[in-house]
mmCIF file of all heavy atoms in Angstrom:
data_model
loop_
_atom_site.group_PDB
_atom_site.id
_atom_site.type_symbol
_atom_site.label_atom_id
_atom_site.label_comp_id
_atom_site.label_asym_id
_atom_site.label_seq_id
_atom_site.Cartn_x
_atom_site.Cartn_y
_atom_site.Cartn_z
ATOM 1 N N PRO F 43 -108.276 -250.321 124.499
ATOM 2 C CA PRO F 43 -107.195 -250.789 123.618
ATOM 3 C C PRO F 43 -106.490 -249.681 122.853
ATOM 4 O O PRO F 43 -105.278 -249.777 122.614
ATOM 5 C CB PRO F 43 -107.886 -251.763 122.666
ATOM 6 C CG PRO F 43 -109.335 -251.630 122.893
ATOM 7 C CD PRO F 43 -109.559 -250.902 124.163
ATOM 8 N N ASP F 44 -107.190 -248.639 122.486
ATOM 9 C CA ASP F 44 -106.566 -247.565 121.710
ATOM 10 C C ASP F 44 -105.732 -246.620 122.574
ATOM 11 O O ASP F 44 -104.991 -245.796 122.042
ATOM 12 C CB ASP F 44 -107.621 -246.775 120.939
ATOM 13 C CG ASP F 44 -108.708 -246.208 121.832
ATOM 14 O OD1 ASP F 44 -109.054 -246.844 122.845
ATOM 15 O OD2 ASP F 44 -109.224 -245.128 121.516
ATOM 16 N N LEU F 45 -105.827 -246.773 123.896
ATOM 17 C CA LEU F 45 -105.078 -245.905 124.817
ATOM 18 C C LEU F 45 -104.063 -246.672 125.649
ATOM 19 O O LEU F 45 -103.519 -246.121 126.606
ATOM 20 C CB LEU F 45 -106.047 -245.180 125.761
ATOM 21 C CG LEU F 45 -107.032 -244.206 125.132
ATOM 22 C CD1 LEU F 45 -107.985 -243.661 126.192
ATOM 23 C CD2 LEU F 45 -106.296 -243.069 124.449
ATOM 24 N N SER F 46 -103.803 -247.931 125.290
ATOM 25 C CA SER F 46 -102.988 -248.790 126.151
ATOM 26 C C SER F 46 -101.928 -249.547 125.368
ATOM 27 O O SER F 46 -102.110 -249.875 124.195
ATOM 28 C CB SER F 46 -103.886 -249.809 126.852
ATOM 29 O OG SER F 46 -104.970 -249.169 127.484
ATOM 30 N N ALA F 47 -100.820 -249.850 126.059
ATOM 31 C CA ALA F 47 -99.754 -250.674 125.494
ATOM 32 C C ALA F 47 -99.089 -251.453 126.621
ATOM 33 O O ALA F 47 -99.170 -251.073 127.787
ATOM 34 C CB ALA F 47 -98.731 -249.822 124.761
ATOM 35 N N MET F 48 -98.418 -252.543 126.224
ATOM 36 C CA MET F 48 -97.775 -253.419 127.194
ATOM 37 C C MET F 48 -96.319 -253.636 126.799
ATOM 38 O O MET F 48 -96.005 -253.785 125.612
ATOM 39 C CB MET F 48 -98.511 -254.763 127.220
ATOM 40 C CG MET F 48 -97.910 -255.789 128.140
ATOM 41 S SD MET F 48 -98.893 -257.312 128.234
ATOM 42 C CE MET F 48 -98.484 -258.089 126.690
ATOM 43 N N ILE F 49 -95.452 -253.661 127.793
ATOM 44 C CA ILE F 49 -94.033 -253.955 127.595
ATOM 45 C C ILE F 49 -93.671 -255.145 128.484
ATOM 46 O O ILE F 49 -93.976 -255.156 129.673
ATOM 47 C CB ILE F 49 -93.155 -252.747 127.972
ATOM 48 C CG1 ILE F 49 -93.397 -251.584 127.020
ATOM 49 C CG2 ILE F 49 -91.685 -253.128 127.986
ATOM 50 C CD1 ILE F 49 -92.646 -250.323 127.399
ATOM 51 N N THR F 50 -93.008 -256.135 127.874
ATOM 52 C CA THR F 50 -92.515 -257.286 128.631
ATOM 53 C C THR F 50 -91.013 -257.408 128.394
ATOM 54 O O THR F 50 -90.438 -256.656 127.604
ATOM 55 C CB THR F 50 -93.203 -258.592 128.173
ATOM 56 O OG1 THR F 50 -92.714 -258.953 126.880
ATOM 57 C CG2 THR F 50 -94.714 -258.461 128.144
ATOM 58 N N GLY F 51 -90.422 -258.369 129.040
ATOM 59 C CA GLY F 51 -89.002 -258.624 128.831
ATOM 60 C C GLY F 51 -88.681 -259.057 127.412
ATOM 61 O O GLY F 51 -87.557 -258.920 126.949
ATOM 62 N N ASP F 52 -89.672 -259.576 126.692
ATOM 63 C CA ASP F 52 -89.484 -260.030 125.320
ATOM 64 C C ASP F 52 -89.771 -258.950 124.280
ATOM 65 O O ASP F 52 -89.608 -259.193 123.087
ATOM 66 C CB ASP F 52 -90.375 -261.240 125.029
ATOM 67 C CG ASP F 52 -89.938 -262.468 125.814
ATOM 68 O OD1 ASP F 52 -88.731 -262.581 126.114
ATOM 69 O OD2 ASP F 52 -90.806 -263.306 126.123
ATOM 70 N N THR F 53 -90.206 -257.773 124.717
ATOM 71 C CA THR F 53 -90.489 -256.696 123.763
ATOM 72 C C THR F 53 -89.176 -256.227 123.149
ATOM 73 O O THR F 53 -88.253 -255.841 123.870
ATOM 74 C CB THR F 53 -91.183 -255.506 124.474
ATOM 75 O OG1 THR F 53 -92.365 -255.974 125.135
ATOM 76 C CG2 THR F 53 -91.552 -254.417 123.486
ATOM 77 N N PRO F 54 -89.071 -256.279 121.819
ATOM 78 C CA PRO F 54 -87.826 -255.838 121.170
ATOM 79 C C PRO F 54 -87.495 -254.384 121.515
ATOM 80 O O PRO F 54 -88.404 -253.556 121.711
ATOM 81 C CB PRO F 54 -88.140 -255.974 119.674
ATOM 82 C CG PRO F 54 -89.248 -256.972 119.605
ATOM 83 C CD PRO F 54 -90.060 -256.769 120.853
ATOM 84 N N LYS F 55 -86.196 -254.074 121.579
ATOM 85 C CA LYS F 55 -85.753 -252.737 122.002
ATOM 86 C C LYS F 55 -86.385 -251.619 121.190
ATOM 87 O O LYS F 55 -86.810 -250.614 121.745
ATOM 88 C CB LYS F 55 -84.236 -252.631 121.944
ATOM 89 C CG LYS F 55 -83.542 -253.410 123.023
ATOM 90 C CD LYS F 55 -82.034 -253.221 122.963
ATOM 91 C CE LYS F 55 -81.358 -254.048 124.037
ATOM 92 N NZ LYS F 55 -79.913 -253.838 124.056
ATOM 93 N N GLY F 56 -86.452 -251.773 119.877
ATOM 94 C CA GLY F 56 -87.036 -250.736 119.035
ATOM 95 C C GLY F 56 -88.505 -250.516 119.327
ATOM 96 O O GLY F 56 -88.978 -249.373 119.409
ATOM 97 N N GLU F 57 -89.239 -251.615 119.488
ATOM 98 C CA GLU F 57 -90.666 -251.526 119.813
ATOM 99 C C GLU F 57 -90.857 -250.924 121.200
ATOM 100 O O GLU F 57 -91.740 -250.097 121.416
ATOM 101 C CB GLU F 57 -91.307 -252.907 119.731
ATOM 102 C CG GLU F 57 -92.797 -252.899 119.973
ATOM 103 C CD GLU F 57 -93.408 -254.285 119.890
ATOM 104 O OE1 GLU F 57 -92.740 -255.225 119.414
ATOM 105 O OE2 GLU F 57 -94.565 -254.430 120.312
ATOM 106 N N ARG F 58 -90.016 -251.344 122.144
ATOM 107 C CA ARG F 58 -90.082 -250.805 123.510
ATOM 108 C C ARG F 58 -89.877 -249.292 123.486
ATOM 109 O O ARG F 58 -90.635 -248.541 124.105
ATOM 110 C CB ARG F 58 -89.001 -251.471 124.371
ATOM 111 C CG ARG F 58 -88.898 -250.961 125.789
ATOM 112 C CD ARG F 58 -87.671 -251.555 126.483
ATOM 113 N NE ARG F 58 -87.654 -252.999 126.411
ATOM 114 C CZ ARG F 58 -88.115 -253.805 127.369
ATOM 115 N NH1 ARG F 58 -88.604 -253.289 128.459
ATOM 116 N NH2 ARG F 58 -88.069 -255.104 127.220
ATOM 117 N N ALA F 59 -88.873 -248.837 122.746
ATOM 118 C CA ALA F 59 -88.598 -247.399 122.650
ATOM 119 C C ALA F 59 -89.781 -246.660 122.040
ATOM 120 O O ALA F 59 -90.143 -245.566 122.491
ATOM 121 C CB ALA F 59 -87.332 -247.157 121.840
ATOM 122 N N SER F 60 -90.405 -247.255 121.026
ATOM 123 C CA SER F 60 -91.558 -246.641 120.376
ATOM 124 C C SER F 60 -92.743 -246.532 121.337
ATOM 125 O O SER F 60 -93.415 -245.502 121.393
ATOM 126 C CB SER F 60 -91.954 -247.464 119.151
ATOM 127 O OG SER F 60 -93.141 -246.975 118.583
ATOM 128 N N ILE F 61 -92.987 -247.581 122.098
ATOM 129 C CA ILE F 61 -94.090 -247.570 123.065
ATOM 130 C C ILE F 61 -93.844 -246.511 124.131
ATOM 131 O O ILE F 61 -94.746 -245.743 124.483
ATOM 132 C CB ILE F 61 -94.280 -248.967 123.701
ATOM 133 C CG1 ILE F 61 -94.800 -249.950 122.653
ATOM 134 C CG2 ILE F 61 -95.206 -248.901 124.903
ATOM 135 C CD1 ILE F 61 -94.778 -251.405 123.095
ATOM 136 N N ILE F 62 -92.633 -246.460 124.651
ATOM 137 C CA ILE F 62 -92.305 -245.471 125.678
ATOM 138 C C ILE F 62 -92.431 -244.059 125.118
ATOM 139 O O ILE F 62 -92.963 -243.163 125.780
ATOM 140 C CB ILE F 62 -90.913 -245.739 126.272
ATOM 141 C CG1 ILE F 62 -90.941 -247.046 127.071
ATOM 142 C CG2 ILE F 62 -90.441 -244.574 127.138
ATOM 143 C CD1 ILE F 62 -89.582 -247.559 127.503
ATOM 144 N N ALA F 63 -91.995 -243.852 123.885
ATOM 145 C CA ALA F 63 -92.125 -242.532 123.256
ATOM 146 C C ALA F 63 -93.592 -242.142 123.097
ATOM 147 O O ALA F 63 -93.959 -240.979 123.349
ATOM 148 C CB ALA F 63 -91.428 -242.520 121.900
ATOM 149 N N ARG F 64 -94.443 -243.094 122.703
ATOM 150 C CA ARG F 64 -95.877 -242.816 122.581
ATOM 151 C C ARG F 64 -96.485 -242.483 123.928
ATOM 152 O O ARG F 64 -97.330 -241.591 124.039
ATOM 153 C CB ARG F 64 -96.589 -244.004 121.949
ATOM 154 C CG ARG F 64 -96.264 -244.160 120.482
ATOM 155 C CD ARG F 64 -96.843 -245.400 119.810
ATOM 156 N NE ARG F 64 -98.109 -245.842 120.316
ATOM 157 C CZ ARG F 64 -98.412 -247.120 120.561
ATOM 158 N NH1 ARG F 64 -97.529 -248.077 120.345
ATOM 159 N NH2 ARG F 64 -99.601 -247.447 121.013
ATOM 160 N N PHE F 65 -96.032 -243.175 124.981
ATOM 161 C CA PHE F 65 -96.527 -242.892 126.330
ATOM 162 C C PHE F 65 -96.097 -241.492 126.773
ATOM 163 O O PHE F 65 -96.910 -240.710 127.262
ATOM 164 C CB PHE F 65 -96.009 -243.957 127.306
ATOM 165 C CG PHE F 65 -96.468 -243.773 128.724
ATOM 166 C CD1 PHE F 65 -97.780 -244.026 129.078
ATOM 167 C CD2 PHE F 65 -95.590 -243.366 129.705
ATOM 168 C CE1 PHE F 65 -98.214 -243.868 130.393
ATOM 169 C CE2 PHE F 65 -95.995 -243.210 131.017
ATOM 170 C CZ PHE F 65 -97.318 -243.456 131.362
ATOM 171 N N LYS F 66 -94.841 -241.161 126.574
ATOM 172 C CA LYS F 66 -94.333 -239.835 126.959
ATOM 173 C C LYS F 66 -95.006 -238.721 126.168
ATOM 174 O O LYS F 66 -95.208 -237.624 126.692
ATOM 175 C CB LYS F 66 -92.822 -239.766 126.771
ATOM 176 C CG LYS F 66 -92.052 -240.562 127.798
ATOM 177 C CD LYS F 66 -90.554 -240.452 127.558
ATOM 178 C CE LYS F 66 -89.761 -241.192 128.614
ATOM 179 N NZ LYS F 66 -88.313 -241.058 128.381
ATOM 180 N N ALA F 67 -95.347 -239.004 124.912
ATOM 181 C CA ALA F 67 -96.016 -238.007 124.061
ATOM 182 C C ALA F 67 -97.519 -237.959 124.330
ATOM 183 O O ALA F 67 -98.233 -237.202 123.678
ATOM 184 C CB ALA F 67 -95.757 -238.327 122.594
ATOM 185 N N ARG F 68 -97.985 -238.790 125.251
ATOM 186 C CA ARG F 68 -99.391 -238.847 125.655
ATOM 187 C C ARG F 68 -100.312 -239.336 124.535
ATOM 188 O O ARG F 68 -101.479 -238.964 124.480
ATOM 189 C CB ARG F 68 -99.858 -237.507 126.210
ATOM 190 C CG ARG F 68 -99.066 -237.101 127.430
ATOM 191 C CD ARG F 68 -99.610 -235.847 128.049
ATOM 192 N NE ARG F 68 -98.738 -235.455 129.133
ATOM 193 C CZ ARG F 68 -98.408 -234.227 129.395
ATOM 194 N NH1 ARG F 68 -98.884 -233.246 128.667
ATOM 195 N NH2 ARG F 68 -97.616 -233.950 130.392
ATOM 196 N N ARG F 69 -99.770 -240.155 123.646
ATOM 197 C CA ARG F 69 -100.597 -240.759 122.617
ATOM 198 C C ARG F 69 -101.256 -242.023 123.144
ATOM 199 O O ARG F 69 -102.235 -242.502 122.564
ATOM 200 C CB ARG F 69 -99.803 -241.030 121.353
ATOM 201 C CG ARG F 69 -99.431 -239.721 120.667
ATOM 202 C CD ARG F 69 -98.802 -239.941 119.325
ATOM 203 N NE ARG F 69 -97.580 -240.720 119.508
ATOM 204 C CZ ARG F 69 -96.892 -241.283 118.533
ATOM 205 N NH1 ARG F 69 -97.289 -241.151 117.299
ATOM 206 N NH2 ARG F 69 -95.795 -241.959 118.777
ATOM 207 N N ILE F 70 -100.682 -242.601 124.200
ATOM 208 C CA ILE F 70 -101.335 -243.667 124.959
ATOM 209 C C ILE F 70 -101.363 -243.215 126.416
ATOM 210 O O ILE F 70 -100.482 -242.488 126.868
ATOM 211 C CB ILE F 70 -100.639 -245.032 124.807
ATOM 212 C CG1 ILE F 70 -99.173 -244.962 125.220
ATOM 213 C CG2 ILE F 70 -100.802 -245.584 123.417
ATOM 214 C CD1 ILE F 70 -98.485 -246.319 125.264
ATOM 215 N N LYS F 71 -102.394 -243.624 127.124
ATOM 216 C CA LYS F 71 -102.537 -243.194 128.517
ATOM 217 C C LYS F 71 -102.063 -244.260 129.497
ATOM 218 O O LYS F 71 -101.554 -243.936 130.566
ATOM 219 C CB LYS F 71 -104.009 -242.873 128.792
ATOM 220 C CG LYS F 71 -104.280 -242.373 130.192
ATOM 221 C CD LYS F 71 -105.697 -241.916 130.367
ATOM 222 C CE LYS F 71 -105.916 -241.394 131.768
ATOM 223 N NZ LYS F 71 -107.247 -240.799 131.925
ATOM 224 N N TYR F 72 -102.238 -245.531 129.137
ATOM 225 C CA TYR F 72 -101.924 -246.622 130.053
ATOM 226 C C TYR F 72 -100.772 -247.447 129.520
ATOM 227 O O TYR F 72 -100.795 -247.909 128.380
ATOM 228 C CB TYR F 72 -103.156 -247.527 130.240
ATOM 229 C CG TYR F 72 -104.354 -246.769 130.728
ATOM 230 C CD1 TYR F 72 -105.356 -246.356 129.852
ATOM 231 C CD2 TYR F 72 -104.497 -246.442 132.069
ATOM 232 C CE1 TYR F 72 -106.449 -245.646 130.289
ATOM 233 C CE2 TYR F 72 -105.585 -245.717 132.521
ATOM 234 C CZ TYR F 72 -106.555 -245.322 131.622
ATOM 235 O OH TYR F 72 -107.640 -244.616 132.061
ATOM 236 N N LEU F 73 -99.768 -247.642 130.360
ATOM 237 C CA LEU F 73 -98.614 -248.459 130.013
ATOM 238 C C LEU F 73 -98.495 -249.564 131.048
ATOM 239 O O LEU F 73 -98.330 -249.300 132.238
ATOM 240 C CB LEU F 73 -97.332 -247.607 129.991
ATOM 241 C CG LEU F 73 -96.046 -248.342 129.689
ATOM 242 C CD1 LEU F 73 -96.109 -249.027 128.331
ATOM 243 C CD2 LEU F 73 -94.872 -247.381 129.737
ATOM 244 N N VAL F 74 -98.611 -250.800 130.580
ATOM 245 C CA VAL F 74 -98.514 -251.970 131.457
ATOM 246 C C VAL F 74 -97.120 -252.563 131.278
ATOM 247 O O VAL F 74 -96.701 -252.854 130.166
ATOM 248 C CB VAL F 74 -99.599 -253.004 131.115
ATOM 249 C CG1 VAL F 74 -99.493 -254.200 132.055
ATOM 250 C CG2 VAL F 74 -100.984 -252.386 131.195
#
Side-chain angles (χ1 to χ4, degrees):
D44 56 327
L45 296 176
S46 309
M48 177 175 76
I49 294 175
T50 72
D52 292 331
T53 304
K55 288 183 182 183
E57 183 180 347
R58 177 188 306 265
S60 174
I61 292 169
I62 292 170
R64 289 175 33 224
F65 181 72
K66 288 180 177 181
R68 299 185 185 140
R69 290 187 299 168
I70 57 172
K71 182 173 181 174
Y72 303 99
L73 178 59
V74 181

